[in-house]
Amino acid sequence: MPFFRRLWCRRLSLIEYSLRFCSMSAKNTSLILHKLRGLMKNSHYVTEELQAYIVPSEDAHQSEYIAPCDCRREFVSGFSGSAGSAVIVQNKAAMWTDGRYFLQAERQMDDNWTLMKHGLPETPTQGDWLSKVLPPSGKVGVDPFLLSAERWKELSKTLESNGHMLVPVAQNLVDIAWNDRPPPPNNPLIVQPLKYTGSTWQDKVRQVRAKMKEKKVGMLVVTALDEIAWLFNLRGSDIAYNPVFFSYAIVKEDMVGLWIDETKLDAAVLHHLNAAQQNGDGSDITVTLYPYDSIKDYISALMEGITGKVWISNKSSYALVSLVPQNNHYGELSPIAEMKSKKNSTEIDCMKRAHVKDAVTLCEYFAWLEKEVPKGNVSEMSAAEKLELIKRQQEDYVSLSFSTISSSGPNGAVIHYRPVPDTNRPLSTDEIYLCDSGAQYRDGTTDVTRTMHFGKPTAFQQECFTRVLQGHIALALVIFPNKTKGHMLDTLARTALWEVGQDYLHGTGHGVGAFLNVHEGPCGISYKSFTDCPLQEGMILSNEPGYYEDGQFGIRIENLFLVKQAETKHNFKNKGFLTFEPLTLVPIQTKMLVPSMLSQKEIDWLNAYHLLCREVVGQELKDQDKQEAYEWMMRETEPLG
Amino acid sequence: MPFFRRLWCRRLSLIEYSLRFCSMSAKNTSLILHKLRGLMKNSHYVTEELQAYIVPSEDAHQSEYIAPCDCRREFVSGFSGSAGSAVIVQNKAAMWTDGRYFLQAERQMDDNWTLMKHGLPETPTQGDWLSKVLPPSGKVGVDPFLLSAERWKELSKTLESNGHMLVPVAQNLVDIAWNDRPPPPNNPLIVQPLKYTGSTWQDKVRQVRAKMKEKKVGMLVVTALDEIAWLFNLRGSDIAYNPVFFSYAIVKEDMVGLWIDETKLDAAVLHHLNAAQQNGDGSDITVTLYPYDSIKDYISALMEGITGKVWISNKSSYALVSLVPQNNHYGELSPIAEMKSKKNSTEIDCMKRAHVKDAVTLCEYFAWLEKEVPKGNVSEMSAAEKLELIKRQQEDYVSLSFSTISSSGPNGAVIHYRPVPDTNRPLSTDEIYLCDSGAQYRDGTTDVTRTMHFGKPTAFQQECFTRVLQGHIALALVIFPNKTKGHMLDTLARTALWEVGQDYLHGTGHGVGAFLNVHEGPCGISYKSFTDCPLQEGMILSNEPGYYEDGQFGIRIENLFLVKQAETKHNFKNKGFLTFEPLTLVPIQTKMLVPSMLSQKEIDWLNAYHLLCREVVGQELKDQDKQEAYEWMMRETEPLG
């Protein structure tokens, strides 16, 4: 699933898949805005009157996906897109969002709102706009848990240089006005056993402590939910598609703390966390539990008279980062982000197993579609439902890893499309079908896109598909020095399209978790990001170039790849060289190709890939007794040329 | 000529070509360090005692090449490398330099100095080191003209967060201690006529003013020497190889000022600058002259009660940037940097003409070498001298554009090599010869590298050469969206090498001036730079991948390319697409190739390139009656395949 990097915050939300089409008509926001404007002046809630109030998209953990109780920006504006930041002043309300959402935001927001088209040269930044519309010495309020420290710093600087001030407002004003706000999710946790994780949480804590020692910090505060789930080998279901749970964690030399609602923890989880384990030095590592809401007070109390360094990433909330005295603050990316991204051999084996099962489901699905689509009874929605049913049959299936992008014809050109009744389109032999799907299994997370035609593609469609595949292959084949940054590889996936003046507006690849979030930092392959983490052995990334002809069709070919050591004749400066190994093993439709456009090297890659599908997935299809799917797979993997 | 980006300052110095081998034995620096340490405590020169004094590499214009009077760092340390920053404390002296210079610095510096190997993980930054060795509340002095504002800010922040302070020292302490310091150069200026520039200086001033209006700034301070030379259509010779002159400039709505030693200006130049020209609005543009040294006082006086914004790049010296109140400061890159990089049609025609003349000289040179090398009478130095003599014959020749890199066998692997008596090596039929040369002509600047074998190259050498050429061709052929950043193309030049675990440690391309500096910002093609200016029509860049086998040989293939519009079937999002057109037209030695490794596309490129050499340079060789060179060129451009 492609990944868009928002310009004004760390993570991207894909919540659109679950929310964007809840309402496509404008919500009347007069009452809620009236209430909010009252609260902005109500001394019971604010220490001084606010001239503006910002409602960001994120939750207190700066999550990409958020829970319904955190959809505050949608509640105040009606706009349900994934990216957007609302600002309310006394006589105006404005929404910044990017090109993907201009149309949707216009439809979903009423006249109270002005749409600020982020990315257009004439659109002011939020800071610049506020600086202009505010009265002198304006106070701009925001819930400090919902803004990262780095974003706070940036916005605050702009406001201050124009004589205004960014003010933390402890009580969230939207929550006060939101009568029927859903309660925070409180789902039970499960232990992710060693057979999947390959490393005990105690060993991970030791690794983290070694990293802390290296950086000379005495304490690490962890706020990203997937980092906490990874660290403790626990999974939850507080947020759709993401097996995470609301919590904070702190690691010090002499303690490990987890801030969580204890009702989420059953006896097995408690046992797991308290499992005393004798260290070499004779000490035990156990986890001390604290109430979720007490994190701020805990950190505050610790800061009195603190002498050492405290590691809390600037990507964490301003509310927590600002508790740490500046001279004691170490704000680099959490060490867990990189550790988590480098999968160990157990995680890799498990991810491979999950991908084989997932390939089985797609072979079964496409075989079924090939039979059913010509009958005219399949729609984008019914197809997606069928796929989910098929996936459910697989061992250790947990859920989808995102809402399936099942799109036919012109809907395929809407990159972040999700079928809903209003837009639902029949699948037919006249249109291209783009299917981007993924699942969470206990042993791993998948994400794969295939673009198929069940009739006869046009020559133009074939040419576009071939160029997209050439990009995919160029990236799949590249050998590169250890620690190359992913953005340096992005161009390889584009040159075949550029050659004729085509391109695509999303990045080429994102990191993927191991039974964790389908979009996982800190590595990626995108021209938009230069701060990405260097690529290293064990990382797992998507390779998903595309081409989108607005109003007509969309093409994307996505596999997940493992970064592994390359065998090279030389080894320049002993850097080591890396390459990619495909995890996704699903046939690529050769009917969509213009074989004469492919080089021998490209044909060889495709044939070798299809042979791997036959060998690995073929065996599994036989073992699972999926004869029809097996035959489909064998037909679809006939070698070219 | 390859371009290395120093990590701690804006520009790279190539002064090594003229300086590095002045002395390869250590200089005794005891006396000069003693003197400096005295001055650091002498209240006549410093307002408070300094615990450290920094001696940077740059001049007051943050120039890449510097004049002898500005070689302060070399004077205090003996170390003549291009990159390096010296720090003197009471009981230590330390030099930060990068991997290219570790050996040279160790040889040239005596025991008073500690070498800090920049880029190694264990080496502290200057700020971190100072923070550790200084006594509490240490004062670190530096000449504020020699540090850019951005570097100042960075260093100052580190020092302050450790309780120390960076202090501007008005009088340069090295200059006080340097008895026989050469006087600043004071060479006469020449007017660069319209037939070369294609635009009057008055038109350029109008363009600059339009840009200033767009950014709402009332005043622009220009400190980079090549920007000033470009703006006024003037050239000088204050710095070797760079046709620039010491000066500052200011553009306001109602004035244009040039700060320069007036003795440099003859009647023609004065006439040129004072040429009153009637504008549409009835006003004249004339240049007001001020003494070079009065720039600081002038800006200071203007700042009293200033209300508008002042544009002075953060890449300018802290001395000048710090005069502008923070709220009035606009610190982006000077608008002239980008204007200058986009050559107009006259400049392009002139650059092409210069390249044809330069190609003639290289054909003549290589034809001569082919004949003379087997006789055993040619050395790296005598060859370089011969090349210079040949170049001098061409019309409008001014000087070399850098000291010729004439290197045989193992010397070719020293990327920034320049032959000197100690290292001078005979050219032979047993070794690869790498020649990177360029010249300044009145109509343009050239820079070209060819790698030749006058005997029989080994299979390994041929394979390396072929991979380097494949990288060169991949970049030469790419079509890319308008405004793609150069670093996104760097990988294309490397993948053929990466495939077998090879690489090169320099960037792939740098911008080139039009009868200006051979290394010109703000565009480039390098994995090291993410802040490079987007590529646009009219820019001129080098394409110079390489491969260096330490102790054995070096390979580099360098052409200059013009960025021009590409003809593409589609035009994604109306972005426009660009491609490269070669300016350099010198045969690439096919003897060095393994033709079977080349794809048909690569063979087609090479044959088309050689055909262009025949057509364009062939005609010129005939016109200049260079029969031997013509025959050599025709032999060397025989089509492959």
Side-chain angles (χ1 to χ4, degrees), chain A residues 460 463 478-481 487-488 490-491 495 498-503 505 527 530 550 568-573 575 577 601, chain B residues 460 463 478-481 487-488 490-491 495 498-503 505 527 530 550 568-573 575 577 601:
Chain A
F460 178 58
E463 192 191 325
V478 69
I479 290 171
F480 53 97
H487 71 265
M488 294 305 297
D490 182 80
T491 297
T495 50
W498 286 355
E499 204 177 302
V500 290
Q502 297 176 327
D503 201 357
L505 282 179
Y527 64 101
F530 311 135
D550 283 349
T568 53
K569 197 156 68 173
H570 311 286
N571 185 7
F572 183 74
K573 303 280 175 202
K575 275 181 172 185
F577 280 75
K601 203 170 163 185
Chain B
F460 177 58
E463 191 191 323
V478 69
I479 291 171
F480 53 96
H487 72 265
M488 295 305 297
D490 182 80
T491 297
T495 50
W498 286 354
E499 204 176 302
V500 290
Q502 296 176 328
D503 201 358
L505 282 181
Y527 64 100
F530 311 134
D550 282 350
T568 53
K569 198 156 68 173
H570 311 287
N571 186 6
F572 184 73
K573 304 278 175 203
K575 276 180 170 185
F577 280 75
K601 203 171 161 183

Coordinates of all heavy atoms in Angstrom, one line a residue, chain A residues 460 463 478-481 487-488 490-491 495 498-503 505 527 530 550 568-573 575 577 601, chain B residues 460 463 478-481 487-488 490-491 495 498-503 505 527 530 550 568-573 575 577 601:
Chain A
F460 N -2.0 0.8 -24.8 CA -1.5 1.8 -23.9 C -1.4 1.3 -22.5 O -0.4 1.5 -21.8 CB -2.4 3.1 -24.0 CG -2.0 4.2 -23.1 CD1 -0.7 4.7 -23.1 CD2 -2.9 4.7 -22.1 CE1 -0.3 5.8 -22.3 CE2 -2.5 5.7 -21.2 CZ -1.2 6.2 -21.3
E463 N 1.5 -0.9 -22.3 CA 2.8 -0.2 -22.3 C 3.0 0.4 -20.9 O 4.2 0.3 -20.3 CB 2.8 0.9 -23.3 CG 4.2 1.5 -23.5 CD 4.2 2.8 -24.3 OE1 3.5 2.9 -25.3 OE2 5.1 3.6 -24.0
V478 N 18.6 -4.3 -8.0 CA 19.8 -3.5 -7.7 C 20.6 -4.1 -6.5 O 20.1 -4.7 -5.6 CB 19.4 -2.0 -7.3 CG1 18.6 -2.0 -6.0 CG2 20.6 -1.1 -7.3
I479 N 21.9 -4.0 -6.7 CA 22.9 -4.3 -5.6 C 23.4 -2.9 -5.1 O 23.7 -2.1 -6.0 CB 24.0 -5.2 -6.1 CG1 23.4 -6.6 -6.4 CG2 25.1 -5.3 -5.1 CD1 24.3 -7.5 -7.1
F480 N 23.5 -2.7 -3.9 CA 23.9 -1.4 -3.4 C 24.7 -1.5 -2.1 O 24.6 -2.5 -1.4 CB 22.6 -0.5 -3.1 CG 21.6 -1.2 -2.3 CD1 21.5 -0.9 -0.9 CD2 20.7 -2.1 -2.8 CE1 20.6 -1.5 -0.1 CE2 19.7 -2.7 -2.0 CZ 19.7 -2.4 -0.6
P481 N 25.5 -0.5 -1.8 CA 26.4 -0.6 -0.6 C 25.5 -0.6 0.7 O 24.5 0.1 0.7 CB 27.2 0.7 -0.7 CG 27.1 1.2 -2.1 CD 25.8 0.7 -2.6
H487 N 16.2 6.6 -0.2 CA 15.7 7.6 -1.2 C 16.7 7.6 -2.4 O 16.3 8.0 -3.5 CB 15.6 9.0 -0.6 CG 16.9 9.7 -0.3 ND1 17.4 9.6 1.0 CD2 17.8 10.3 -1.0 CE1 18.6 10.3 1.0 NE2 18.8 10.7 -0.2
M488 N 17.9 7.1 -2.2 CA 18.9 7.0 -3.3 C 18.4 5.9 -4.4 O 19.0 5.9 -5.5 CB 20.3 6.7 -2.8 CG 20.9 7.8 -2.0 SD 20.9 9.5 -2.8 CE 21.9 9.1 -4.2
D490 N 15.1 5.3 -5.1 CA 13.8 5.6 -5.6 C 13.8 5.9 -7.1 O 12.9 5.4 -7.8 CB 13.3 6.9 -4.9 CG 11.9 7.3 -5.3 OD1 10.9 6.6 -4.8 OD2 11.7 8.2 -6.1
T491 N 14.8 6.5 -7.6 CA 14.8 6.9 -9.1 C 14.8 5.7 -10.0 O 14.2 5.7 -11.1 CB 16.1 7.7 -9.3 OG1 16.0 9.0 -8.6 CG2 16.2 8.1 -10.8
T495 N 12.7 5.5 -13.9 CA 13.3 5.9 -15.1 C 12.6 5.4 -16.4 O 12.5 6.0 -17.4 CB 14.8 5.6 -15.2 OG1 15.0 4.2 -14.9 CG2 15.6 6.4 -14.3
W498 N 9.7 7.8 -16.7 CA 10.2 9.1 -17.1 C 10.6 9.2 -18.6 O 10.4 10.2 -19.2 CB 11.5 9.4 -16.3 CG 11.2 9.8 -14.8 CD1 10.0 9.9 -14.2 CD2 12.2 10.0 -13.8 NE1 10.2 10.3 -12.9 CE2 11.5 10.3 -12.6 CE3 13.6 10.1 -13.8 CZ2 12.2 10.7 -11.4 CZ3 14.2 10.4 -12.6 CH2 13.5 10.7 -11.4
E499 N 11.1 8.0 -19.1 CA 11.5 8.0 -20.5 C 10.4 8.5 -21.4 O 10.8 9.1 -22.5 CB 11.8 6.5 -20.8 CG 12.8 6.3 -21.9 CD 13.1 4.8 -22.1 OE1 13.6 4.2 -21.1 OE2 12.8 4.3 -23.2
V500 N 9.2 8.3 -21.1 CA 8.1 8.8 -22.0 C 7.3 9.9 -21.3 O 6.1 10.2 -21.7 CB 7.2 7.6 -22.4 CG1 7.9 6.7 -23.4 CG2 6.6 6.8 -21.2
G501 N 7.8 10.5 -20.2 CA 7.1 11.6 -19.6 C 6.0 11.2 -18.6 O 5.1 11.9 -18.4
Q502 N 6.2 9.9 -18.1 CA 5.2 9.5 -17.0 C 5.9 9.5 -15.7 O 7.1 9.5 -15.6 CB 4.6 8.1 -17.4 CG 3.9 8.1 -18.7 CD 3.4 6.8 -19.1 OE1 4.0 5.8 -18.9 NE2 2.3 6.7 -19.8
D503 N 5.1 9.3 -14.6 CA 5.6 9.3 -13.3 C 4.5 8.9 -12.3 O 3.4 8.7 -12.8 CB 6.2 10.7 -12.9 CG 7.2 10.7 -11.7 OD1 7.4 9.6 -11.2 OD2 7.7 11.8 -11.4
L505 N 3.1 9.9 -8.1 CA 3.3 10.9 -7.1 C 3.5 10.4 -5.7 O 3.5 11.1 -4.7 CB 2.2 11.9 -7.1 CG 2.2 13.0 -8.2 CD1 1.0 13.9 -8.2 CD2 3.5 13.7 -8.2
Y527 N 11.6 9.7 -2.8 CA 12.2 10.9 -3.1 C 11.8 12.0 -2.2 O 12.4 13.1 -2.1 CB 11.8 11.3 -4.5 CG 10.4 11.6 -4.7 CD1 9.9 12.9 -4.8 CD2 9.4 10.6 -4.8 CE1 8.5 13.2 -4.9 CE2 8.1 10.8 -5.0 CZ 7.6 12.1 -5.0 OH 6.3 12.4 -5.2
F530 N 14.6 12.5 3.0 CA 16.1 12.4 3.0 C 16.6 12.0 4.4 O 17.8 11.9 4.6 CB 16.7 13.7 2.6 CG 16.1 14.3 1.3 CD1 15.7 15.6 1.2 CD2 15.8 13.4 0.3 CE1 15.2 16.1 0.1 CE2 15.2 13.9 -0.9 CZ 14.9 15.2 -1.0
D550 N -5.7 9.4 -14.7 CA -6.9 9.9 -14.0 C -8.2 9.7 -14.8 O -8.2 9.9 -16.0 CB -6.8 11.4 -13.7 CG -5.9 11.7 -12.5 OD1 -5.5 10.7 -11.8 OD2 -5.5 12.8 -12.3
T568 N 29.1 -10.3 -3.9 CA 29.7 -9.5 -5.0 C 31.2 -9.9 -5.1 O 31.8 -10.3 -4.1 CB 29.7 -8.0 -4.7 OG1 30.2 -7.8 -3.4 CG2 28.2 -7.5 -4.8
K569 N 31.7 -9.8 -6.3 CA 33.1 -10.2 -6.6 C 34.0 -9.3 -5.8 O 35.1 -9.7 -5.3 CB 33.4 -10.0 -8.1 CG 34.6 -10.7 -8.6 CD 34.5 -11.0 -10.1 CE 34.5 -9.7 -11.0 NZ 34.6 -9.9 -12.4
H570 N 33.7 -8.0 -5.7 CA 34.5 -7.1 -4.9 C 33.8 -6.6 -3.7 O 32.6 -6.8 -3.6 CB 34.9 -5.9 -5.8 CG 35.5 -6.3 -7.1 ND1 36.7 -6.8 -7.3 CD2 34.9 -6.3 -8.4 CE1 36.9 -7.1 -8.6 NE2 35.9 -6.8 -9.2
N571 N 34.5 -5.9 -2.8 CA 33.8 -5.3 -1.7 C 34.4 -4.0 -1.3 O 35.3 -3.9 -0.5 CB 33.9 -6.3 -0.5 CG 33.1 -5.8 0.7 OD1 32.4 -4.8 0.7 ND2 33.3 -6.5 1.8
F572 N 34.0 -2.9 -2.0 CA 34.6 -1.6 -2.0 C 34.6 -1.1 -0.5 O 33.6 -1.0 0.2 CB 33.7 -0.7 -2.8 CG 34.2 0.7 -2.9 CD1 35.4 1.0 -3.7 CD2 33.6 1.8 -2.3 CE1 35.8 2.3 -3.8 CE2 34.1 3.1 -2.4 CZ 35.2 3.3 -3.1
K573 N 35.8 -0.7 -0.1 CA 36.1 -0.2 1.2 C 35.4 -1.0 2.3 O 35.0 -0.5 3.4 CB 35.6 1.3 1.3 CG 36.1 2.2 0.3 CD 37.5 2.8 0.6 CE 38.0 3.6 -0.5 NZ 39.5 3.7 -0.5
K575 N 32.6 -2.1 2.7 CA 31.3 -1.6 3.1 C 30.3 -2.7 3.3 O 29.4 -2.6 4.0 CB 30.8 -0.6 2.1 CG 31.3 0.8 2.2 CD 30.6 1.6 1.1 CE 30.8 3.1 1.2 NZ 30.0 3.8 0.1
F577 N 27.8 -5.2 0.6 CA 26.8 -4.9 -0.4 C 25.5 -5.6 -0.1 O 25.5 -6.7 0.4 CB 27.3 -5.1 -1.8 CG 28.2 -4.0 -2.3 CD1 29.5 -3.9 -1.8 CD2 27.7 -3.0 -3.1 CE1 30.3 -2.8 -2.2 CE2 28.6 -1.9 -3.5 CZ 29.9 -1.8 -3.0
K601 N 17.5 -9.3 -19.4 CA 17.6 -9.3 -17.9 C 16.3 -9.2 -17.2 O 16.1 -9.9 -16.2 CB 18.5 -8.1 -17.6 CG 19.2 -8.1 -16.3 CD 20.2 -7.0 -16.2 CE 20.7 -6.7 -14.8 NZ 21.5 -5.5 -14.7
Chain B
F460 N 40.9 -6.7 -16.2 CA 40.2 -6.1 -15.1 C 40.1 -4.6 -15.3 O 39.0 -4.0 -15.0 CB 41.1 -6.3 -13.8 CG 40.5 -5.7 -12.6 CD1 39.2 -6.0 -12.1 CD2 41.3 -4.8 -11.8 CE1 38.7 -5.4 -11.0 CE2 40.8 -4.2 -10.7 CZ 39.5 -4.5 -10.3
E463 N 37.3 -4.0 -17.6 CA 36.0 -4.2 -17.0 C 35.6 -3.0 -16.2 O 34.4 -2.5 -16.2 CB 36.0 -5.5 -16.2 CG 34.5 -5.9 -15.7 CD 34.5 -7.0 -14.7 OE1 35.3 -7.9 -14.7 OE2 33.6 -6.9 -13.8
V478 N 19.4 9.6 -19.2 CA 18.2 9.7 -18.4 C 17.3 10.9 -18.8 O 17.8 12.0 -19.2 CB 18.5 9.7 -16.9 CG1 19.1 11.0 -16.5 CG2 17.2 9.5 -16.1
I479 N 16.0 10.7 -18.8 CA 15.0 11.7 -19.0 C 14.4 11.8 -17.6 O 14.1 10.8 -17.0 CB 14.0 11.3 -20.1 CG1 14.7 11.4 -21.4 CG2 12.8 12.3 -20.1 CD1 13.9 10.8 -22.6
F480 N 14.2 13.0 -17.1 CA 13.7 13.2 -15.8 C 12.8 14.4 -15.7 O 12.9 15.4 -16.5 CB 14.9 13.3 -14.8 CG 15.9 14.4 -15.2 CD1 15.8 15.7 -14.6 CD2 16.9 14.1 -16.1 CE1 16.7 16.6 -14.9 CE2 17.8 15.1 -16.5 CZ 17.7 16.4 -15.9
P481 N 11.9 14.4 -14.7 CA 10.9 15.6 -14.6 C 11.7 16.9 -14.2 O 12.7 16.8 -13.5 CB 10.0 15.2 -13.4 CG 10.2 13.7 -13.2 CD 11.6 13.4 -13.7
H487 N 20.6 15.0 -6.7 CA 21.1 13.9 -6.0 C 20.2 12.6 -6.3 O 20.6 11.5 -6.1 CB 21.1 14.2 -4.5 CG 19.7 14.3 -3.9 ND1 19.1 15.5 -3.7 CD2 18.9 13.3 -3.4 CE1 17.9 15.3 -3.1 NE2 17.8 14.0 -2.9
M488 N 19.0 12.9 -6.8 CA 18.2 11.7 -7.2 C 18.7 11.0 -8.4 O 18.2 9.9 -8.8 CB 16.7 12.2 -7.5 CG 16.0 12.8 -6.3 SD 16.0 11.6 -4.8 CE 15.0 10.3 -5.5
D490 N 22.1 10.6 -9.0 CA 23.5 10.1 -8.7 C 23.6 8.6 -8.8 O 24.6 8.1 -9.3 CB 23.9 10.6 -7.3 CG 25.3 10.2 -6.9 OD1 26.2 10.9 -7.3 OD2 25.4 9.2 -6.1
T491 N 22.6 7.9 -8.2 CA 22.6 6.4 -8.2 C 22.8 5.8 -9.6 O 23.4 4.8 -9.8 CB 21.3 5.9 -7.5 OG1 21.3 6.4 -6.2 CG2 21.2 4.4 -7.6
T495 N 25.1 2.2 -10.4 CA 24.6 0.8 -10.3 C 25.5 -0.2 -11.1 O 25.6 -1.4 -10.6 CB 23.1 0.7 -10.8 OG1 23.0 1.3 -12.1 CG2 22.2 1.4 -9.8
W498 N 28.2 -0.9 -8.6 CA 27.6 -1.6 -7.4 C 27.4 -3.1 -7.7 O 27.5 -3.9 -6.8 CB 26.3 -0.9 -7.0 CG 26.5 0.4 -6.3 CD1 27.6 1.0 -6.0 CD2 25.4 1.3 -5.9 NE1 27.3 2.2 -5.4 CE2 26.0 2.4 -5.4 CE3 24.0 1.2 -6.0 CZ2 25.2 3.5 -4.9 CZ3 23.2 2.3 -5.5 CH2 23.8 3.4 -5.0
E499 N 27.0 -3.4 -8.9 CA 26.7 -4.7 -9.3 C 27.8 -5.7 -8.9 O 27.5 -6.9 -8.6 CB 26.4 -4.8 -10.8 CG 25.6 -5.9 -11.3 CD 25.4 -5.7 -12.8 OE1 24.9 -4.7 -13.3 OE2 25.8 -6.7 -13.6
V500 N 29.0 -5.3 -9.0 CA 30.1 -6.2 -8.6 C 30.8 -5.7 -7.3 O 32.0 -6.1 -7.0 CB 31.2 -6.3 -9.7 CG1 30.6 -7.1 -10.9 CG2 31.6 -4.9 -10.2
G501 N 30.2 -4.8 -6.5 CA 30.7 -4.4 -5.3 C 31.8 -3.3 -5.4 O 32.7 -3.2 -4.6
Q502 N 31.7 -2.5 -6.5 CA 32.6 -1.4 -6.6 C 31.8 -0.1 -6.4 O 30.6 0.0 -6.5 CB 33.2 -1.4 -8.0 CG 34.1 -2.6 -8.2 CD 34.7 -2.7 -9.6 OE1 34.1 -2.3 -10.6 NE2 35.9 -3.3 -9.7
D503 N 32.6 1.0 -6.3 CA 31.9 2.3 -6.1 C 33.0 3.4 -6.2 O 34.2 3.1 -6.4 CB 31.3 2.4 -4.7 CG 30.2 3.4 -4.5 OD1 30.0 4.2 -5.5 OD2 29.6 3.5 -3.4
L505 N 34.0 7.4 -4.2 CA 33.7 8.2 -3.0 C 33.4 9.6 -3.3 O 33.3 10.4 -2.4 CB 34.8 8.0 -2.0 CG 34.7 6.7 -1.2 CD1 35.8 6.6 -0.2 CD2 33.4 6.5 -0.5
Y527 N 25.2 12.1 -4.0 CA 24.5 11.5 -2.9 C 24.8 12.2 -1.6 O 24.1 12.0 -0.6 CB 25.0 10.0 -2.7 CG 26.4 9.9 -2.4 CD1 26.8 9.6 -1.1 CD2 27.4 10.0 -3.3 CE1 28.2 9.5 -0.8 CE2 28.8 9.9 -3.0 CZ 29.1 9.7 -1.7 OH 30.5 9.5 -1.4
F530 N 21.6 17.0 -0.2 CA 20.2 16.9 -0.4 C 19.6 18.3 -0.5 O 18.4 18.5 -0.7 CB 19.5 16.2 0.8 CG 20.1 14.9 1.1 CD1 20.4 14.5 2.4 CD2 20.5 14.0 0.0 CE1 21.1 13.3 2.6 CE2 21.1 12.8 0.3 CZ 21.4 12.5 1.6
D550 N 43.3 1.6 -5.4 CA 44.4 2.2 -4.7 C 45.7 1.5 -5.0 O 45.8 0.3 -5.0 CB 44.1 2.1 -3.2 CG 43.1 3.2 -2.7 OD1 42.8 4.1 -3.6 OD2 42.7 3.1 -1.6
T568 N 9.1 14.3 -24.9 CA 8.5 13.0 -24.5 C 7.0 12.9 -25.0 O 6.4 13.9 -25.2 CB 8.4 12.9 -22.9 OG1 7.8 14.1 -22.4 CG2 9.8 12.8 -22.3
K569 N 6.6 11.7 -25.1 CA 5.2 11.4 -25.7 C 4.2 12.0 -24.7 O 3.2 12.5 -25.1 CB 5.1 9.9 -25.8 CG 3.9 9.5 -26.7 CD 4.2 8.1 -27.3 CE 4.1 7.0 -26.2 NZ 4.2 5.6 -26.8
H570 N 4.4 11.8 -23.4 CA 3.5 12.3 -22.4 C 4.2 13.4 -21.6 O 5.4 13.7 -21.7 CB 3.1 11.1 -21.4 CG 2.7 9.9 -22.2 ND1 1.5 9.8 -22.8 CD2 3.3 8.7 -22.4 CE1 1.4 8.6 -23.4 NE2 2.5 8.0 -23.2
N571 N 3.4 14.1 -20.8 CA 3.9 15.2 -19.9 C 3.2 15.1 -18.6 O 2.2 15.9 -18.4 CB 3.7 16.5 -20.7 CG 4.4 17.6 -19.9 OD1 5.1 17.4 -18.9 ND2 4.2 18.8 -20.3
F572 N 3.6 14.3 -17.7 CA 2.9 14.0 -16.5 C 2.7 15.3 -15.7 O 3.7 16.0 -15.4 CB 3.8 13.0 -15.7 CG 3.2 12.6 -14.4 CD1 2.1 11.7 -14.3 CD2 3.7 13.0 -13.2 CE1 1.6 11.3 -13.1 CE2 3.2 12.6 -11.9 CZ 2.1 11.8 -11.9
K573 N 1.5 15.6 -15.3 CA 1.1 16.7 -14.5 C 1.7 18.0 -15.0 O 2.0 19.0 -14.3 CB 1.5 16.5 -13.0 CG 1.0 15.3 -12.4 CD -0.4 15.4 -11.9 CE -0.9 14.1 -11.3 NZ -2.4 14.0 -11.3
K575 N 4.5 18.8 -15.8 CA 5.8 19.2 -15.1 C 6.9 19.6 -16.1 O 7.8 20.4 -15.8 CB 6.3 18.0 -14.4 CG 5.8 17.8 -13.0 CD 6.5 16.5 -12.4 CE 6.2 16.3 -11.0 NZ 6.9 15.2 -10.4
F577 N 9.7 17.7 -18.9 CA 10.8 16.7 -18.7 C 12.1 17.2 -19.3 O 12.1 18.0 -20.3 CB 10.3 15.3 -19.3 CG 9.4 14.6 -18.4 CD1 8.1 15.0 -18.3 CD2 9.9 13.6 -17.6 CE1 7.2 14.3 -17.4 CE2 9.0 12.9 -16.7 CZ 7.7 13.3 -16.6
K601 N 21.7 -0.3 -26.4 CA 21.4 1.1 -26.1 C 22.7 1.9 -25.7 O 22.9 3.0 -26.2 CB 20.5 1.1 -24.9 CG 19.6 2.4 -24.7 CD 18.6 2.1 -23.6 CE 18.0 3.4 -23.1 NZ 17.1 3.2 -22.0

